[in-house]
Amino acid sequence: MSQIEPVNGGDRPSYALSAFAKLTAISTFILICAGALITGNKAALSDPTWPKFAGQNYPTADTFVGGMRYEDSHRIIAGTVGILIAVLAFWVQFKVRKRAPKVLAWGAVACVVAQAVIGGFIILYLRPMVVSILHACVGQALFMMLVALAVILSPKRVGSVESSGTPRPGASFFRIQCVVACCVVYCLLILGATVRHAADVFMPQLVLHISLALFTVVMLIWLSLQVFTRYRDVADLRRVIWTLFTLIAVQYGLGVVAIFANRARLQPEAPDQAHVLLSTAHVGVGALILISFLIMALRAFQHLPVSQAAEKHQTLTEKLA
Amino acid sequence: MYNSGLRCGLLAAFLFLGAPASLTAATISGVVRFHGDIPETGTVRMVGDSFCTACHTSPPPKQDLLVNASGEVQNVVVYIKDGLPPATVNSPPSTPVELRQEGCIFYPRVFGIRTGQELRITNRDNTMLNMVAAPKSNSRFIKFIKNSSGAPETAKFEKPEVPVLLKSDVHPWMASYAGVFNHPYFAVTDGQGRFELRDVPTGMYTLSTWHEKLGVREVRLQVADMETTTVQFRYGSRPVEDQ
């Protein structure tokens, strides 16, 4: 029988901390969607008085008009998420002994501070395209960190023992493929942000974005074949695969709408709210696809021991630590 | 004796140099027409600001394509694109160009301005004015006036550029277009599609138009001394020159 050992190296599971980590991750997802609403509603520079609200220290009903509603809501949500992340970091610092969660938590703090500065830079320097894209990408990276932290801190994972420590055939390669898939999807999101923030409908990026989206499907089919042939017993992986197929199917439909919404963005008129919501959903589902691939990678590290480390298999957390 | 001779010399020089500009000055005038079925004007969809919707009893008509019953097109920028001698590039007028927000609409929709000339932006609404200029050649700027009691803002453009879009990120339906020139030979067509460029020096020029929906038309023309050259631009077909 394999060695039985808590994944998180002896940390006792904290339901409250885990719930708080999940809440913070969900808040970050809401923040990403709120940011997408700004772009969709052409409201990026609606309130040039950053970090204030229309020149005031707090928003009022008088200033909460037009595009400013989206921009100022984003600032309020961002401030709330910043506080949540700071609290989470201190909580992890004092509650968790392992190094990896601490690194992730303080990394998230650094990311959220960077996001605030980048957000201000976008407004003060009138939305330089590269900085807007950077803002979108760092936001996704922050979301990944918080999801990874929520997964690592989940009581199921902290208190769990591995189903089997027996080396799995091809596990090492599968893990690498999962990490590569994560990187590919992250690049896909960067390209998506480029298309979305470009001053014009930028065809080369759009073509590349669509090509990479097609490649993601091929990648997912390849990964699913491995899961359903070699690792059928790992329910977590099967669940992630089905989730990804569903999300990607939805994302393709939303992508078509997003292209039309992006063209309409260039016209000086009030955007169609249905288009705005669907293009925002495209950004949101994109973020969910990214973290689903991330979760698959984390599950692969958790559930599929590699032969070289059969005696004491390492989770991703342990590797980071 | 020496002073009087100098005065005479200066007078002669003034007459010699100044006279040709006025004597050879010509006028280019004309009209811009739309060829084909006159498009229907839609209405502006104002959302998200109750002040804006309250300003209008019914949704105001769009200003992006104004064609009258005779097919004459308003808000077309007509300007000399090239062929001007360098001497015609002189200092801008001291009077500012006025741009205002009223009823959550920018007025004028299309205007011409000189490089270095002041653009004076005022807000007559009791709601935000947010103006974002995102030109390609000039510096970007953003102007923000909280309400009608806010002080007017000013801006300037350094380089010629046609067009410069001035938009609002608070009220996304609001837009105004500026044609920025380093010479005075430009005009914006009126409600009858008419334009007139006065005091144009003699020469061979490219006369160009720009319209936000209809695009660009160009024509080469010779301007003769003291004459009025008439040009008719047609959108929807090739431009026609009537000399």
Side-chain angles (χ1 to χ4, degrees):
Chain A
M1 189 62 193
S2 65
Q3 184 180 0
I4 296 177
E5 177 189 344
V7 173
N8 212 15
D11 275 329
R12 292 176 66 187
S14 166
Y15 289 92
L17 178 58
S18 167
F20 191 76
K22 282 175 188 161
L23 171 74
T24 310
I26 292 166
S27 308
T28 309
F29 177 69
I30 294 168
L31 180 60
I32 288 171
C33 293
L37 276 176
I38 295 175
T39 312
N41 282 291
K42 313 175 194 176
L45 297 174
S46 57
D47 189 351
T49 64
W50 181 91
K52 293 188 170 184
F53 300 91
Q56 301 171 172
N57 292 326
Y58 50 86
T60 60
D62 292 343
T63 61
F64 220 60
V65 294
M68 206 175 275
R69 292 174 300 171
Y70 305 104
E71 174 61 31
D72 286 355
S73 299
H74 184 64
R75 285 181 199 176
I76 293 166
I77 298 168
T80 310
V81 169
I83 292 165
L84 289 175
I85 290 172
V87 170
L88 181 65
F90 279 107
W91 198 340
V92 168
Q93 181 69 35
F94 292 111
K95 179 77 183 174
V96 179
R97 281 183 293 171
K98 296 293 288 184
R99 195 175 163 213
K102 289 179 184 174
V103 169
L104 282 172
W106 289 109
V109 170
C111 261
V112 82
V113 171
Q115 278 294 74
V117 174
I118 294 168
F121 194 90
I122 287 171
I123 290 167
L124 298 177
Y125 290 89
L126 306 179
R127 209 180 168 211
M129 194 180 84
V130 175
V131 184
S132 298
I133 294 165
L134 181 70
H135 192 58
C137 297
V138 175
Q140 298 285 0
L142 173 65
F143 186 40
M144 283 174 81
M145 280 181 176
L146 291 167
V147 168
L149 193 56
V151 169
I152 289 168
L153 293 175
S154 75
K156 185 182 163 191
R157 185 175 166 85
V158 172
S160 77
V161 291
E162 295 311 307
S163 56
S164 168
T166 312
R168 305 296 299 263
S172 179
F173 186 50
F174 184 75
R175 285 177 176 190
I176 292 166
Q177 287 173 75
C178 288
V179 172
V180 169
C182 263
C183 297
V184 168
V185 175
Y186 191 71
C187 291
L188 180 62
L189 295 193
I190 293 172
L191 282 168
T194 309
V195 173
R196 207 165 151 72
H197 290 280
D200 209 335
V201 180
F202 219 28
M203 284 310 286
Q205 273 85 340
L206 184 60
V207 170
L208 210 55
H209 179 68
I210 294 168
S211 308
L212 215 52
L214 292 169
F215 180 66
T216 304
V217 176
V218 174
M219 221 166 44
L220 179 61
I221 291 168
W222 176 244
L223 287 171
S224 64
L225 285 174
Q226 292 177 74
V227 167
F228 290 115
T229 52
R230 285 177 173 174
Y231 316 122
R232 274 188 76 84
D233 56 315
V234 186
D236 278 350
L237 286 178
R238 289 202 314 271
R239 268 197 295 274
V240 175
I241 289 287
W242 287 124
T243 306
L244 272 169
F245 272 118
T246 311
L247 287 173
I248 286 178
V250 172
Q251 187 70 335
Y252 267 78
L254 292 170
V256 175
V257 178
I259 290 170
F260 287 105
N262 200 44
R263 286 180 183 278
R265 175 174 64 84
L266 303 174
Q267 301 300 322
E269 55 191 40
D272 180 62
Q273 284 307 304
H275 274 179
V276 171
L277 289 175
L278 290 170
S279 60
T280 301
H282 188 63
V283 174
V285 173
L288 293 178
I289 289 171
L290 176 66
I291 61 128
S292 298
F293 273 106
L294 173 71
I295 289 169
M296 184 153 69
L298 289 170
R299 297 294 186 218
F301 276 89
Q302 181 187 359
H303 293 296
L304 305 176
V306 295
S307 56
Q308 294 90 336
E311 289 183 0
K312 184 182 179 183
H313 85 268
Q314 294 176 318
T315 62
L316 175 62
T317 314
E318 288 163 334
K319 278 198 165 183
L320 284 169
Chain B
M1 186 68 185
Y2 176 77
N3 282 344
S4 65
L6 182 63
R7 281 195 204 103
C8 288
L10 286 171
L11 183 63
F14 173 77
L15 288 171
F16 181 75
L17 294 172
S22 58
L23 287 173
T24 60
T27 299
I28 303 171
S29 67
V31 67
V32 180
R33 293 183 192 282
F34 185 84
H35 183 73
D37 295 333
I38 296 167
E40 284 184 23
T41 309
T43 54
V44 177
R45 198 163 58 87
M46 294 182 172
V47 288
D49 192 340
S50 55
F51 175 87
C52 297
T53 43
C55 285
H56 306 272
T57 49
S58 59
K62 280 185 178 177
Q63 294 184 306
D64 56 357
L65 181 54
L66 298 178
V67 183
N68 67 15
S70 309
E72 291 143 353
V73 189
Q74 191 179 345
N75 286 342
V76 180
V77 181
V78 184
Y79 63 101
I80 294 180
K81 190 176 179 184
D82 55 39
L84 282 168
T88 54
V89 179
N90 50 23
S91 58
S94 56
T95 50
V97 172
E98 300 280 346
L99 180 61
R100 68 184 193 281
Q101 173 178 318
E102 193 170 347
C104 296
I105 293 173
F106 284 140
Y107 294 102
R109 173 77 175 192
V110 181
F111 62 93
I113 190 168
R114 297 281 300 278
T115 48
Q117 188 176 8
E118 189 175 281
L119 175 65
R120 194 164 183 270
I121 304 149
T122 53
N123 184 4
R124 296 191 184 174
D125 288 337
N126 199 22
T127 189
M128 313 279 171
L129 176 146
N130 170 291
M131 180 183 281
V132 182
K136 286 176 181 158
S137 306
N138 284 280
S139 305
R140 293 173 162 208
F141 65 79
I142 182 166
K143 300 294 173 187
F144 180 76
I145 306 173
K146 203 165 177 181
N147 50 39
S148 54
S149 58
E153 290 276 356
T154 58
K156 283 181 180 174
F157 300 96
E158 314 92 39
K159 296 173 188 168
E161 185 174 351
V162 182
V164 174
L165 170 63
L166 306 163
K167 66 187 182 76
S168 169
D169 274 17
V170 171
H171 306 124
W173 60 86
M174 288 174 63
S176 181
Y177 293 91
V180 186
F181 306 97
N182 61 358
H183 60 73
Y185 309 110
F186 58 86
V188 177
T189 56
D190 60 14
Q192 281 73 49
R194 292 175 305 201
F195 66 90
E196 189 174 76
L197 312 182
R198 288 181 183 171
D199 299 329
V200 180
T202 306
M204 186 76 176
Y205 301 114
T206 302
L207 191 67
S208 184
T209 66
W210 174 87
H211 185 271
E212 61 179 291
K213 286 283 179 191
L214 303 173
V216 174
R217 287 282 183 273
E218 279 184 7
V219 64
R220 288 286 291 172
L221 55 84
Q222 175 71 49
V223 175
D225 289 0
M226 302 296 289
E227 282 186 7
T228 296
T229 308
T230 308
V231 182
Q232 186 178 157
F233 285 100
R234 281 188 187 172
Y235 281 104
S237 65
R238 293 176 68 83
V240 176
E241 183 185 346
D242 302 328
Q243 295 264 0

